[in-house]
Structures are given as structure tokens and as C-alpha cells.
Amino acid sequence: MTTSALRESQLKMARFLRNPETESAPEGIEPRRLKIYQDLIYNNIEGFISSGFPVLRTLYSDDNWHQLVRLFIEGHSCRSPYFLEISQEFLDFLMQGYERRECDPPFIAELAHYEWVELALDVSEAQVDQAGLVAHADPISGVPVLSELAWLLSYQFPVQRIGPGFQPAEAVEPTYLVVYRDRADKVRFMELNGATARLLELVRDNERKSGAELLGQLASELQMPEESVQGFGRELLGQFVEQSIICGFRP
């Protein structure tokens, strides 16, 4: 078999495995073997997606779920060959031009992203760099540093509450969360209000400002007395350190 013929045979097999309902099978391979390949590919991909998005899976009937997985296999060009990165590829599929079906909830992409974040943080090999940081410094005078394993997120839907018994049809107000991996390597989340989310955003983007300066900026933005913001802000920054959201302070 020539190189070009071999390549065409491989592409035909790939097209068949992606969509065995509409694509013809390669010639010369008995149906029993084709069925083994077909089931092996589909079951592996579906298994990784179901385990990576367990809440999303519970919101679908079997038929609608398997149709969604089939649409992913048939229509998405994966950039990674690794099975462990299928969850990222499935998320990309939902967020890049996917046309929502009638059976899909309006929050499908946001819920999938939230579930992916939990998985990504759980397997992340990122290390929190404690060099030059003091864990229990004065949160007002020190420069707070956000942990690399703490991700600040905002959604239109309350994704952390969604499940079979709660499926909002429309967004009411923004949801702010920080999802983080603590010192015991357990992934957790905290729901935030708008002011607290903005404070963490300032910490995340900060290089030199002290806690006092960041809280002063927050007070100005919120048009609130600086004294009151400094009061609850000191306690809040200390709480973030205890929960591993802030990994410490630079002097």
C-alpha cells in the first residue's frame, strides 16, 4: 500500500469512527472488528466527559447526553491527543460556536466551565511560591499576593448551586466565586459579593500596593468611608490567608 493510500485509509477510518451513522466503513475490515474500535473510542471519550462534568451529566436524559457527545466527537477538532485533556476540548467545543439545542440548559457553557475549573485545579502541577512572603504579616501594611491556585470567576448563573433540583431558566444577577486549592490539596470554592470580588481582583493584578492602599482604592470605587472599608478589609485579607486564597504578603 502506498503512503497516500495508507493515509486515505486512515482518514476514512477516522471519519467512520467519528460518525458511524453517516460515514462508510473502510473496506477489508470485518464488521465485528469495526464495532470493537467504534465502541472503544466512543466509550472512552464519553467516560472521560461524564466523569469530568458530573453535574452537567445529571441534567440530561441518556439519549440527549449521548447525542451531545456524538456532536462533540463528530464536529470538534481536538488539538491535544491526550485523553486526560478531553475535558478541556469538550469545554472548548461548548464555548466556541456550539449551537444550543432545545434540550440544552441556558447555562450549559458556564456550568461546564465551573466543573472544568474544579478539575483543572485538582490536577494542576502549579506550585505556590512562598519565597519572600510572610504568611502572618499585617494585612494592612504588607503587599498581599494571590495564590496561583486561586481563580477568581464570574458567571451570569449561580453555577455552584445548579443540579437536578435547581435549574434556573434565566440569569438574575452576576455570581462571583473564587475557586482554590487549599494547603491540604482539597479544591474548594467561596461565593463572593461584588465588593469582595473586586478586592480580590485588585490583589490579583497588584505588584506593589499594600493592603491599605488597595482598600483605599476599593473605598474610592465604592464611594464608601475609607475607615469602614479598612476595618472589614483587614479581617477579610486575614481570612483569605487562612483559606489559602492569599498565599502571603510581601514586606
Side-chain angles (χ1 to χ4, degrees):
M1 180 180 291
T2 65
T3 301
S4 60
L6 176 61
R7 174 173 171 75
E8 179 54 35
S9 177
Q10 291 173 331
L11 290 175
K12 190 170 186 177
M13 172 65 91
R15 288 193 295 267
F16 172 74
L17 293 176
R18 278 178 176 269
N19 193 345
E21 298 296 326
T22 61
E23 296 290 336
S24 59
E27 298 176 357
I29 304 177
E30 62 176 300
R32 180 183 65 85
R33 291 178 180 272
L34 285 173
K35 186 67 165 60
I36 291 173
Y37 283 121
Q38 179 183 333
D39 290 345
L40 182 64
I41 292 295
Y42 180 80
N43 290 337
N44 271 284
I45 293 175
E46 192 279 331
F48 273 101
I49 295 175
S50 290
S51 61
F53 303 91
V55 177
L56 188 64
R57 174 64 181 93
T58 65
L59 307 183
Y60 285 90
S61 68
D62 287 345
D63 286 345
N64 287 335
W65 176 256
H66 290 299
Q67 183 186 49
L68 178 61
V69 176
R70 283 290 181 195
L71 288 171
F72 165 68
I73 294 174
E74 178 184 355
H76 181 71
S77 297
C78 293
R79 293 168 297 178
S80 171
Y82 299 111
F83 271 114
L84 288 177
E85 295 181 10
I86 286 177
S87 293
Q88 171 71 69
E89 297 288 352
F90 183 69
L91 177 63
D92 291 345
F93 164 70
L94 293 178
M95 299 185 72
Q96 296 175 4
Y98 172 68
E99 294 186 10
R100 191 161 59 89
R101 303 167 297 163
E102 186 176 346
C103 63
D104 294 323
F107 48 76
I108 177 174
E110 289 197 340
L111 177 59
H113 183 269
Y114 175 62
E115 293 201 90
W116 172 81
V117 165
E118 291 186 302
L119 175 64
L121 279 173
D122 187 48
V123 302
S124 174
E125 296 181 358
Q127 298 292 323
V128 177
D129 185 6
Q130 297 281 355
L133 300 183
V134 180
H136 300 290
D138 180 5
I140 294 298
S141 60
V143 177
V145 178
L146 190 71
S147 169
E148 292 185 32
L149 295 172
W151 295 4
L152 183 61
L153 309 168
S154 65
Y155 299 104
Q156 294 181 341
F157 289 88
V159 290
Q160 79 281 11
R161 296 167 49 204
I162 289 175
F166 177 67
Q167 300 183 51
E170 58 184 26
V172 178
E173 58 184 19
T175 293
Y176 302 102
L177 303 171
V178 58
V179 183
Y180 61 98
R181 200 169 83 193
D182 66 15
R183 294 178 183 86
D185 286 329
K186 184 174 180 60
V187 176
R188 303 180 183 274
F189 79 91
M190 177 189 294
E191 186 172 354
L192 310 171
N193 58 33
T196 305
R198 177 56 179 154
L199 175 58
L200 275 183
E201 185 178 42
L202 292 173
V203 171
R204 181 192 64 194
D205 300 336
N206 178 53
E207 290 290 337
R208 296 185 178 85
K209 292 182 179 180
S210 67
E213 291 173 302
L214 295 179
L215 291 170
Q217 181 177 341
L218 180 64
S220 177
E221 292 180 4
L222 298 177
Q223 298 182 332
M224 293 178 59
E226 186 169 338
E227 297 78 17
S228 62
V229 174
Q230 293 277 352
F232 85 80
R234 176 192 291 270
E235 182 178 347
L236 197 56
L237 290 172
Q239 181 183 353
F240 287 151
V241 172
E242 294 299 322
Q243 293 173 315
S244 313
I245 298 170
I246 288 177
C247 55
F249 299 87
R250 288 196 296 267

